[in-house]
């Protein structure tokens, strides 16, 4: 019998997994797996479990928010034997799962995780760390990991919005030199993100069009520091109507990019704290992640189908 390790965060999102846990495990067993379950106990526990298991598993499936997925993917990336990862989204926003058309329905997502097909997806390398779909700095980027879990559970996406509005009148600006593909940009920025996703923070369309997940390239969006309240309002309006405004934003694709800042900047990786850095190099690890998806969605997410 095939062996499966199921790692889940019992406190993720609104707790939608708990009442369906028995049904989820039943789906795994019916798919031919002997199942070992592991509920995470603390921060980074999913990472620790992924790098330390010694059994010969055929698949690792995780359930939780984007942070739980990040930990499992990061742990798998350093193991000698790479095996496919399944994902049951149970967080508040679930940007990456939505981008890959993984169902919000727990049982449908469990079926994809157990019976879908592996898709070779790009992931990111951030200095010595890894991330699944976003590395970002600046305005609002600390909202996810500073918003209390209890608020996320009750308010959902609104919790992020409410927390973010507290920062709108205290905007830090960063002087950064950005280098990519022989190009150099030096400017003042309030926000920047390097992404492999069709949505960020639940908002779609602010990243760019024609996003695919196995082309070896990230989508980069950098927002300039507004000089006055009018410019700030124009930037926020552009974001809300999902329109890139070239007066205030740089957007491009690249497989490798570096950031050099005068001061140390706080970064977030997949919604979790990514450290404080004055020098960052981000590289695309092309098709380094094997993640389970529905066969019906391959044409929508791949550059090669």
């Amino acid at each position: 019998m095939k062996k499966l390790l199921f790692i889940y965060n019992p406190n993720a999102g609104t707790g939608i997994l708990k009442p369906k846990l028995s049904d989820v495990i039943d789906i795994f067993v019916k798919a031919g797996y002997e199942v070992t379950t592991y509920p995470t106990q603390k921060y980074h526990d999913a990472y620790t479990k992924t790098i330390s298991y010694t059994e010969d598993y055929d698949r690792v499936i995780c359930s939780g928010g984007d942070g739980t997925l990040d930990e499992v993917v990061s742990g798998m990336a350093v193991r000698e034997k790479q095996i496919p990862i399944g994902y049951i989204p149970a967080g508040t926003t679930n940007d990456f799962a939505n981008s890959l058309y993984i169902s919000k329905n727990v049982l449908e997502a469990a079926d994809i995780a157990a019976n879908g097909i592996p898709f070779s997806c790009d992931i990111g390398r951030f200095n010595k760390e890894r991330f699944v779909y976003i590395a970002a700095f600046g305005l609002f980027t600390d909202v996810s990991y500073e918003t209390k879990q209890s608020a996320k559970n009750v308010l959902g996406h609104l919790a992020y919005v409410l927390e973010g509005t507290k920062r709108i009148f205290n905007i830090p600006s960063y002087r950064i030199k950005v280098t990519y593909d022989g190009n150099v940009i030096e400017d003042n920025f309030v926000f920047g993100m390097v992404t492999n996703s069709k949505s960020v923070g639940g908002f779609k369309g602010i990243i760019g069009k024609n996003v695919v997940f196995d082309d070896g390239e990230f989508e980069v969006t950098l927002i300039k520091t507004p000089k006055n309240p009018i410019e700030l309002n124009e930037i926020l309006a552009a974001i809300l109507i999902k329109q890139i405004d070239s007066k205030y934003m740089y957007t491009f694709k690249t497989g490798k990019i570096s950031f050099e800042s005068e001061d140390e900047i706080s970064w977030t990786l997949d919604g979790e704290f990514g450290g404080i850095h004055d020098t960052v190099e981000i590289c695309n690890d092309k098709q380094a992640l094997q993640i389970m998806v529905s066969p019906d969605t391959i044409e929508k997410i791949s550059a090669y189908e």
Side-chain angles (χ1 to χ4, degrees):
M1 181 176 285
K2 298 177 293 183
K3 292 186 177 182
L4 181 155
L5 173 62
F6 181 39
I7 301 172
Y8 65 96
N9 179 355
N11 299 312
T14 56
I16 59 173
L17 177 67
K18 284 184 179 179
K20 302 289 181 65
L21 188 58
S22 178
D23 293 328
V24 166
I25 294 172
D26 186 60
I27 289 172
F28 298 160
V29 172
K30 283 183 167 61
Y33 289 100
E34 178 184 306
V35 183
T36 300
T37 60
Y38 185 83
T40 57
Q41 304 296 303
K42 57 187 176 181
Y43 178 66
H44 263 201
D45 204 17
Y47 175 80
T48 301
K49 182 63 177 177
T50 304
I51 64 172
S52 64
Y53 71 74
T54 57
E55 294 81 356
D56 190 19
Y57 291 115
D58 299 280
R59 185 162 305 167
V60 172
I61 295 177
C62 62
S63 182
D66 292 331
T68 301
L69 176 65
D70 176 276
E71 291 185 31
V72 172
V73 170
S74 297
M76 186 62 68
V78 299
R79 292 189 64 91
E80 182 177 350
K81 181 182 177 182
Q82 304 288 304
I83 62 174
I85 293 172
Y87 181 41
I88 302 173
T92 306
T93 306
N94 304 310
D95 285 309
F96 189 65
N98 293 337
S99 296
L100 294 183
Y101 301 95
I102 297 174
S103 177
K104 297 177 183 179
N105 180 288
V106 169
L107 300 186
E108 290 177 1
D111 183 62
I112 292 172
N115 298 305
I117 61 172
F119 169 64
S120 298
C121 184
D122 300 342
I123 57 173
R125 189 184 298 268
F126 179 95
N127 291 343
K128 294 182 180 180
E129 304 294 323
R130 286 178 173 83
F131 64 95
V132 178
Y133 76 96
I134 182 171
F137 68 87
L139 188 64
F140 300 154
T141 54
D142 61 346
V143 169
S144 178
Y145 57 82
E146 286 195 357
T147 304
K148 292 182 179 179
Q149 186 64 52
S150 58
K152 294 180 188 178
N153 291 349
V154 174
L155 298 174
H157 180 66
L158 180 60
Y160 295 119
V161 177
L162 293 175
E163 187 70 23
T165 56
K166 297 177 184 177
R167 301 147 201 277
I168 200 68
F169 299 109
N170 184 26
I171 302 175
S173 176
Y174 309 99
R175 185 72 182 178
I176 305 177
K177 179 182 178 182
V178 181
T179 306
Y180 71 98
D181 300 341
N183 301 298
V184 177
I185 300 170
E186 194 160 358
D187 212 329
N188 296 315
F189 300 103
V190 293
F191 175 79
M193 61 181 178
V194 180
T195 62
N196 194 36
S197 176
K198 291 184 177 181
S199 68
V200 171
F203 293 101
K204 297 181 180 180
I206 62 173
I207 297 162
K209 298 180 179 180
N210 303 317
V211 177
V212 291
F213 299 88
D214 58 354
D215 60 353
E217 290 193 314
F218 293 119
E219 285 69 38
V220 180
T221 302
L222 305 171
I223 301 179
K224 301 178 188 179
T225 303
K227 296 182 177 63
N228 52 59
I230 294 175
E231 289 191 357
L232 173 59
N233 286 334
E234 290 181 355
I235 290 171
L236 293 174
I239 293 172
L240 289 174
I241 65 174
K242 307 171 186 177
Q243 178 178 318
I244 300 299
D245 189 331
S246 59
K247 289 188 297 182
Y248 306 117
M249 305 177 189
Y250 298 94
T251 60
F252 52 88
K253 290 176 178 280
T254 184
K256 185 176 182 180
I257 185 170
S258 65
F259 298 83
E260 299 173 64
S261 54
E262 295 178 354
D263 302 309
E264 290 189 326
I265 298 174
S266 198
W267 284 77
T268 178
L269 304 178
D270 297 330
E272 302 293 333
F273 181 58
I276 301 173
H277 311 271
D278 57 12
T279 302
V280 166
E281 184 174 276
I282 297 175
C283 300
N284 186 297
D285 280 352
K286 186 176 181 179
Q287 301 179 13
L289 166 65
Q290 292 285 303
I291 188 163
M292 304 304 296
V293 299
S294 169
D296 299 334
T297 63
I298 289 293
E299 291 184 2
K300 300 177 183 178
I301 61 178
S302 174
Y304 303 102
E305 294 292 334

